[in-house]
Amino acid sequence: MNNDHNGENEKFEQEETLTNRQGHPVTNNQNIRTVSNRGPATLENYDFIEKISHFDRERIPERVVHARGAGAHGYFEATGMAGDEPVSKYTRAKLFQEKGKKTPVFVRFSSVIHGGHSPETLRDPRGFATKFYTEDGNWDLVGNNLKVFFIRDAMKFPDMVHAFKPDPLTNIQDAERFFDFCANSPESFHMVTFLYSPWGIPANYRQMQGSGVNTYKWVNAEGEAVLVKYHWEPKQGIKNLTQEEAEQIQAKNFNHATQDLYDEIEKENYPEWDFFVQIMSDDAHPELDFDPLDDTKLWPEDQFPWLHIGKMVLNKNPEDYFNEVEQVAFGTGVLVDGLDFSDDKMLQGRTFSYSDTQRYRVGPNYLQLPINKPKTNQATNQRGGQMSYYVDKAPGQNPHVNYEPSSLGGLKESEQSGKEHTPKISGELVRESIDRNDNTKQAGHTFREFEDWEKDELISNLVNDLSTCAKVLQDKMITLAESADDEYGKRLREGLANARKEEGVHKGRPLGDKDGDDAPGHAEQMGHDADRY
């Protein structure tokens, strides 16, 4: 036996071992540590917290994700009902209780992966984040236009974004990197099916749906909870674009969605959305073939109907883009009384990450900025920090007392409104995926629900990008498509077999790119000579 050779192999394996920044080997990079495989998560998730907090600080000052955005002010008007029942049956949140009650809002729409001045025609999910300035303080509903997501565990989020962002060497987004992650994360297939269909390029912000994506809870006055999903439905109708149509628009105006939103509000064609929830009892629902906490899944509407709870109107453009659209800061942990977290592992990871990102990106006093400041009184014992310009203390508060408890004129705890929701939690601490993790069944249903032109566009877009990828990735994606639906798999297999495989070294191509490798040469050939000056 060659001991030197064995030593080299061992050294190579050690060098390839994933570690955290402390040098500790990472034994599970797929799942955060939770109480049972459904959650909730625990605070001592060191590997996750180190990974996500570093990820939150990767860009300054631009957002790591959702950098390109547009926004507007408006209001939410409640119906006082959840479908045909008083909303108080399910939640004591004050903004929903009275018919006609209006709550000011600010909404930021965005693309996800690309930079602050990227075209608004690229294949990408769209952010749909709403800040409600309620009488109990702010509520942030941070979601997307698509109702499912690529992953179901927050541990994988930095890796997902890295794979979708530009290559760290070439600084060009690469479809092969995208599919390398997705093919090896099969839970992403449902989202890929939506993203590569026309739903992956909304026509504008006014005519796209919104979703909270994650599963939340509502809590009533008795402390009883239900699981909820949130949905925004545009009254203007829904419009999506094909790849070819998007390219035509991009050639003329790569700011078209921002311009559309601004112009329509200026013309007083105020966009509106109906607000719906789906409700489910707060348990594991073993009768379902999916876990209700899995954000890669849809809740079937025939089993869990959409209940109308109000509408939103956007009727005022920002007075300054930077102060409002750029500096607005959202967080999934920003809830008011009557709203609560579920054990959704993506939601729990996002709840740490989002507010941590804002403290880094905008600063520890980001909530003192007018766009983020609640319209109710702020009274805390938080002091100092970068860019602090006032002390958020109560009138008459003893300025010497910045702590609690105190008998010398300090702040007092608030009384509990309604009974506290106290879910019972039991289980072993594990790093595991949820049990019901069928990755393709709902993708097949989604495919069958598409119209023929949407199916054609989906297959065309997948073949275009996958044809440049390594065969091992093509084979994995074909296997997922075949598992989802026979027609889906057959069409993808045949399309890739007929596609021209590029020769030579693979060149990174962004999602949706067609013949882009020819562009540098064309630019040189078409360029006009000029003398120096």
Side-chain angles (χ1 to χ4, degrees):
M1 181 177 291
N2 187 330
N3 290 330
D4 291 340
H5 182 68
N6 289 341
E8 289 176 5
N9 284 344
E10 183 177 345
K11 180 182 178 182
F12 178 73
E13 290 172 0
Q14 289 175 345
E15 290 175 346
E16 277 209 327
T17 298
L18 178 67
T19 74
N20 62 25
R21 279 280 169 87
Q22 301 284 7
H24 305 158
V26 175
T27 58
N28 190 323
N29 195 42
Q30 313 304 315
N31 303 285
I32 59 176
R33 197 179 190 206
T34 54
V35 180
S36 81
N37 59 30
R38 298 184 74 243
T42 55
L43 187 59
E44 84 281 2
N45 268 279
Y46 182 85
D47 286 350
F48 166 68
I49 289 176
E50 181 191 84
K51 180 179 180 181
I52 197 72
S53 59
H54 181 276
F55 172 76
D56 293 342
R57 291 160 171 79
E58 284 187 359
R59 300 287 190 276
I60 53 170
E62 185 175 280
R63 287 170 167 86
V64 179
V65 288
H66 298 277
R68 176 69 196 252
H73 298 268
Y75 63 88
F76 169 73
E77 183 175 339
T79 64
M81 306 288 287
D84 296 328
E85 298 180 293
V87 73
S88 58
K89 176 180 178 181
Y90 301 110
T91 178
R92 61 178 184 252
K94 293 177 184 176
L95 78 159
F96 296 131
Q97 301 304 313
E98 302 170 20
K99 181 178 180 180
K101 184 181 181 68
K102 292 183 178 180
T103 300
V105 300
F106 184 82
V107 178
R108 187 178 189 272
F109 304 103
S110 58
S111 55
V112 176
I113 291 302
H114 306 283
H117 292 285
S118 55
E120 294 181 300
T121 47
L122 300 177
R123 188 168 305 283
D124 199 19
R126 301 300 193 270
F128 194 128
T130 309
K131 186 179 292 292
F132 298 78
Y133 301 95
T134 86
E135 63 191 278
D136 279 339
N138 291 348
W139 169 35
D140 291 350
L141 180 57
V142 193
N144 288 334
N145 65 316
L146 299 174
K147 299 178 184 300
V148 295
F149 201 57
F150 294 96
I151 52 177
R152 58 170 71 98
D153 195 296
M155 179 64 88
K156 302 183 73 165
F157 189 74
D159 296 296
M160 181 200 79
V161 175
H162 283 175
F164 298 176
K165 283 279 191 180
D167 184 304
L169 183 63
T170 67
N171 199 36
I172 300 171
Q173 187 191 40
D174 187 344
E176 186 169 67
R177 286 164 38 86
F178 175 91
F179 281 110
D180 188 26
F181 179 87
C182 292
N184 288 290
S185 302
E187 68 271 27
S188 69
F189 192 68
H190 195 188
M191 182 64 159
V192 169
T193 299
F194 272 112
L195 185 66
Y196 268 78
S197 78
W199 291 86
I201 311 180
N204 54 54
Y205 297 132
R206 292 181 303 109
Q207 295 175 299
M208 73 179 194
Q209 293 174 300
S211 170
V213 181
N214 294 112
T215 301
Y216 289 86
K217 286 182 183 180
W218 270 3
V219 180
N220 66 16
E222 300 303 314
E224 301 162 338
V226 291
L227 302 177
V228 295
K229 288 267 197 180
Y230 296 105
H231 303 279
W232 295 109
E233 190 74 10
K235 290 190 173 185
Q236 299 74 235
I238 303 168
K239 285 187 178 292
N240 300 314
L241 298 171
T242 67
Q243 181 69 38
E244 183 178 354
E245 291 163 346
E247 290 169 1
Q248 293 174 7
I249 294 168
Q250 182 174 323
K252 296 180 179 179
N253 184 348
F254 67 89
N255 306 288
H256 80 283
T258 294
Q259 181 178 335
D260 173 83
L261 180 67
Y262 185 92
D263 288 351
E264 292 301 306
I265 292 176
E266 286 298 293
K267 291 186 288 189
E268 299 185 358
N269 295 329
Y270 301 139
E272 298 185 20
W273 285 260
D274 282 315
F275 199 25
F276 297 89
V277 292
Q278 289 176 287
I279 291 178
M280 192 184 298
S281 60
D282 183 17
D283 58 80
H285 288 272
E287 76 282 0
L288 299 174
D289 61 4
F290 66 95
D291 193 303
L293 304 184
D294 183 351
D295 63 5
T296 70
K297 302 294 191 293
L298 296 169
W299 291 5
E301 190 175 350
D302 58 345
Q303 295 176 260
F304 307 98
W306 286 23
L307 306 178
H308 188 234
I309 61 171
K311 71 172 184 178
M312 178 172 69
V313 179
L314 298 183
N315 58 7
K316 182 179 180 296
N317 280 314
E319 295 179 6
D320 182 87
Y321 178 87
F322 182 83
N323 282 350
E324 296 165 68
V325 182
E326 184 61 23
Q327 292 198 119
V328 68
F330 299 91
T332 56
V334 184
L335 305 178
V336 294
D337 185 56
L339 312 179
D340 210 338
F341 307 96
S342 76
D343 296 336
D344 179 336
K345 291 195 273 187
M346 272 300 297
L347 173 61
Q348 297 203 344
R350 290 176 78 202
T351 294
F352 169 80
S353 178
Y354 273 60
S355 294
D356 184 53
T357 297
Q358 310 303 356
R359 295 182 191 102
Y360 166 70
R361 187 181 68 88
V362 186
N365 291 297
Y366 72 95
L367 289 169
Q368 292 187 349
L369 296 175
I371 191 63
N372 297 317
K373 188 179 186 298
K375 299 192 184 299
T376 53
N377 184 54
Q378 290 174 297
T380 77
N381 286 321
Q382 297 175 16
R383 298 292 186 268
Q386 186 179 18
M387 301 299 289
S388 174
Y389 68 97
Y390 67 82
V391 176
D392 46 356
K393 59 184 177 62
Q397 180 181 348
N398 185 341
H400 297 283
V401 179
N402 60 349
Y403 51 87
E404 191 279 329
S406 168
S407 299
L408 303 176
L411 299 174
K412 307 295 182 185
E413 292 177 325
S414 173
E415 293 184 5
Q416 178 71 38
S417 174
K419 294 183 179 178
E420 188 170 359
H421 174 54
T422 56
K424 183 176 181 180
I425 299 170
S426 64
E428 297 179 346
L429 284 174
V430 297
R431 291 186 177 92
E432 296 177 359
S433 179
I434 57 177
D435 294 327
R436 289 163 287 169
N437 52 12
D438 188 312
N439 295 315
T440 59
K441 183 176 181 178
Q442 285 203 2
H445 177 75
T446 294
F447 177 82
R448 291 185 290 274
E449 289 293 305
F450 282 161
E451 297 179 19
D452 288 344
W453 73 274
E454 292 176 306
K455 291 181 180 179
D456 294 344
E457 183 72 8
L458 167 65
I459 298 300
S460 173
N461 293 330
L462 283 172
V463 168
N464 179 70
D465 283 356
L466 274 169
S467 64
T468 68
C469 296
K471 189 174 186 301
V472 63
L473 304 182
Q474 295 178 4
D475 291 343
K476 286 187 174 185
M477 294 303 293
I478 289 170
T479 297
L480 290 170
E482 289 174 337
S483 175
D485 180 88
D486 290 341
E487 179 191 355
Y488 195 171
K490 180 182 178 182
R491 292 183 64 176
L492 184 58
R493 180 181 291 278
E494 291 175 349
L496 286 170
N498 295 329
R500 175 176 63 87
K501 186 70 178 75
E502 295 195 10
E503 301 295 334
V505 179
H506 167 78
K507 295 181 180 179
R509 278 181 21 179
L511 304 190
D513 180 89
K514 293 183 179 180
D515 301 320
D517 289 342
D518 299 333
H522 287 168
E524 182 178 6
Q525 294 168 11
M526 297 168 66
H528 299 276
D529 292 332
D531 293 329
R532 67 174 185 161
Y533 63 90

